[in-house]
Amino acid sequence: MRALLAALCALFLLGASDPILVPEVSQHEVQVRQGFRGTELLLFGAILTPEGTRAGQDYDIVVVLKGPTRSIVLREKQRIAGIWVNADSAEFRSAPTFFAVASSRPIKQIVGDKTAAIFELGLPWLQLSPIGSYDPKVQTRMSAGLIDLLGREGLYKENPIGVTVSKQVLYQARIALPSSVQTGTYTAETFAIKGGKVVASAISRVEVRKTGLELAIANFARNNGFFYGLLAVALSVLMGFLAGRLFALV
């Protein structure tokens, strides 16, 4: 009887233990060179027990890929007397340069708003950290405007059915990086969710680097800003002169 009770307790504790995520990325370094047209990352992994065996339970998986953050000033245009002028503006302290979410189901079917906001599991819960005090309505409008602007550039995106889970153990998601992607360190955080709670998470990282001519130009601009500016002006004048001569010949 004691042996049977011990076995039942062991099975109960094993079933109650949280899973472990083992994440991986198809490429840990993305090289941005001349003619770069974007790329696609495959984020995949396994859901295991602490003992390293198949978890054997149904978990929802959410993958969040976030680029380096930066300060962004967003200005709203308003048409007055037929002329477009700057109206309201807002500055965001830590807006990600790239933000993508893929999930096995729509987020609202997986977790509540509070949990989604804590872990930033979607664009509605993205923390942009505005600087200064704004009217809540203005802040909401400006935040939505920034998300819409970067979304149309392919830098902010969501896919509510972008994660597939096979046999309760293997998961995978594909996220496209556009050609305008910024360089820096990208974090891919994977969440295992059950019963509306995050029970496990894991992080992988991807480095986006410039190489070749793009790297040389970027280094020159960063280390010799004054001469880079002069060169840019001179090049613009030269191109204008050549264009003028060309049209004169035609």
Side-chain angles (χ1 to χ4, degrees):
M1 181 63 70
R2 290 180 180 177
L4 179 59
L5 290 175
L8 290 174
C9 290
L11 288 174
F12 175 78
L13 292 175
L14 181 61
S17 59
D18 292 334
I20 294 176
L21 292 172
V22 183
E24 189 53 85
V25 186
S26 57
Q27 49 183 321
H28 288 277
E29 182 176 284
V30 175
Q31 296 184 350
V32 178
R33 61 186 67 189
Q34 187 175 7
F36 177 73
R37 297 183 179 180
T39 188
E40 184 179 69
L41 294 179
L42 173 64
L43 300 99
F44 61 97
I47 314 166
L48 304 175
T49 66
E51 291 75 23
T53 60
R54 186 170 71 95
Q57 296 187 42
D58 289 325
Y59 294 98
D60 280 300
I61 299 295
V62 180
V63 177
V64 179
L65 181 62
K66 184 184 294 187
T69 59
R70 64 174 179 174
S71 177
I72 295 179
V73 177
L74 182 68
R75 293 181 173 86
E76 187 178 50
K77 296 290 186 179
Q78 185 176 358
R79 192 168 186 175
I80 300 177
I83 301 176
W84 289 99
V85 297
N86 291 329
D88 291 329
S89 66
E91 183 176 2
F92 300 93
R93 180 184 297 108
S94 56
T97 54
F98 182 86
F99 186 82
V101 178
S103 53
S104 53
R105 288 190 296 158
I107 297 299
K108 286 186 174 293
Q109 297 179 15
I110 299 175
V111 296
D113 288 341
K114 182 178 180 180
T115 301
I118 292 173
F119 296 99
E120 294 184 301
L121 299 182
L123 293 175
W125 303 281
L126 180 59
Q127 307 299 318
L128 294 173
S129 302
I131 299 176
S133 57
Y134 298 95
D135 180 272
K137 293 183 179 180
V138 175
Q139 180 177 326
T140 300
R141 187 175 74 251
M142 299 299 282
S143 297
L146 178 62
I147 291 173
D148 177 69
L149 177 64
L150 295 179
R152 283 187 275 116
E153 295 178 4
L155 297 172
Y156 281 13
K157 61 185 73 177
E158 286 183 311
N159 188 346
I161 53 172
V163 177
T164 58
V165 182
S166 302
K167 299 181 180 179
Q168 298 178 319
V169 61
L170 300 176
Y171 69 87
Q172 68 172 14
R174 296 181 182 274
I175 297 178
L177 297 179
S179 59
S180 58
V181 70
Q182 298 292 310
T183 58
T185 302
Y186 287 63
T187 57
E189 190 163 10
T190 305
F191 301 92
I193 301 172
K194 188 174 181 63
K197 297 181 180 180
V198 175
V199 296
S201 64
I203 293 179
S204 298
R205 288 180 171 81
V206 178
E207 293 290 336
V208 178
R209 306 178 186 275
K210 289 184 177 180
T211 60
L213 179 61
E214 284 73 16
L215 178 61
I217 294 175
N219 288 337
F220 180 78
R222 182 172 58 252
N223 299 326
N224 305 277
F226 176 75
F227 293 105
Y228 177 79
L230 290 179
L231 183 61
V233 172
L235 184 60
S236 298
V237 172
L238 177 61
M239 294 301 293
F241 173 78
L242 292 177
R245 296 297 299 172
L246 180 62
F247 279 110
L249 293 175
V250 175

